[in-house]
Amino acid sequence: MRETPRSQGTAGDTGSELRRRRPGRATAHTTGASGSGTPHRSDGRSPQTPRGARQTDPDGRPGTTPPVPGRPAPLLLLAPSLLAVLALLTWQAASHGPLRGLDERIGRAVVGHGPVRLTECLADLGNMQVALPVLGCALVLALVRGARRVPLLAVLAMAAVPALIVPLKEWIARPGPLTEAVGYYPSGHAATAAVAYGAAALVTAPCTQRSKRSWMMPVAAVLLTAATGIGLVLRGYHWPLDVLAGWCLGGLLLVALSWTSGRSRRRQPPK
């Protein structure tokens, strides 16, 4: 059988010859050479999403992890716990339950302990004359940095403390450790310290988030709030459950403040 001779134009080509383009088949062309008919990889064109600008997911792979709809924030998970504890403490205080009896035994055992001047200073941290100036300085700093909505929310949270504390005091009418006068549950000083120092840490968080010392304000808020409660109990101004209830109420207000301030920051257009 006689071999069909190849044409000279195709004698050196292999089987991966450029095939005839099919009608309607999309092929990429070199930029500026429209209709050249030379197909190549589309990497020559700048993609709509440049690969260098793509973010990576937590595992280091290209792309971003899409947000899960309906996933609750961690702080919102804390709110039901604080509300449940506050409801339990209020029920025990109002019904003279076993927790109230244990609380009074512990309070009588620890009252008067510690240096008088030190415990008095710790208890005074919950006074309005001390806590409000600290919060005021934080609000001024936030306003200077351009924040407007978050300082207003902090003021509303602080104003909500007496609005919630006073009705509970009148309803429970619990006497204090060293007096027969009533109206000691929950502790207004403990709630004031929690909201004032906690709100100060929240409103200044955007100002210090890039600093290596950004942890100092939250830690200081926790320490000042805890020190206030310790001083109130050791000086005999409140029972331990009074202080714990004040902390729970203040924590609920801080959760609401953190959630609303976070939503307001997300709604702001990027600069």
Side-chain angles (χ1 to χ4, degrees), residues 2 27 36 48 53 67 88 95 104 127 154 160 216 243-244 261 267:
R2 189 178 61 178
T27 56
S36 62
Q48 294 179 352
L88 174 64
S95 62
E104 293 177 354
N127 290 340
M216 294 182 64
V243 173
L244 185 56
S261 61
R267 288 178 178 178

Side-chain angles (χ1 to χ4, degrees), residues 111-139:
V111 67
H113 285 69
V116 175
R117 291 185 178 180
L118 176 61
T119 53
E120 187 72 26
C121 289
L122 295 181
D124 288 343
L125 292 174
N127 290 340
M128 288 286 188
Q129 295 85 348
V130 178
L132 287 187
V134 174
L135 177 59
C137 293
L139 295 179

Side-chain angles (χ1 to χ4, degrees), residues 227-243:
T228 303
I230 293 173
L232 292 172
V233 173
L234 294 182
R235 291 300 300 149
Y237 295 144
H238 279 287
W239 302 104
L241 286 189
D242 301 347
V243 173

Side-chain angles (χ1 to χ4, degrees), residues 81-98:
S81 302
L82 292 173
L83 187 59
V85 173
L86 179 61
L88 174 64
L89 298 179
T90 304
W91 168 53
Q92 289 292 297
S95 62
H96 296 265

Side-chain angles (χ1 to χ4, degrees), residues 21 62 111 129 148 158 198 222 254:
R21 293 167 51 191
V111 67
Q129 295 85 348
R148 294 293 181 269
M158 196 70 245
V222 172
L254 289 178

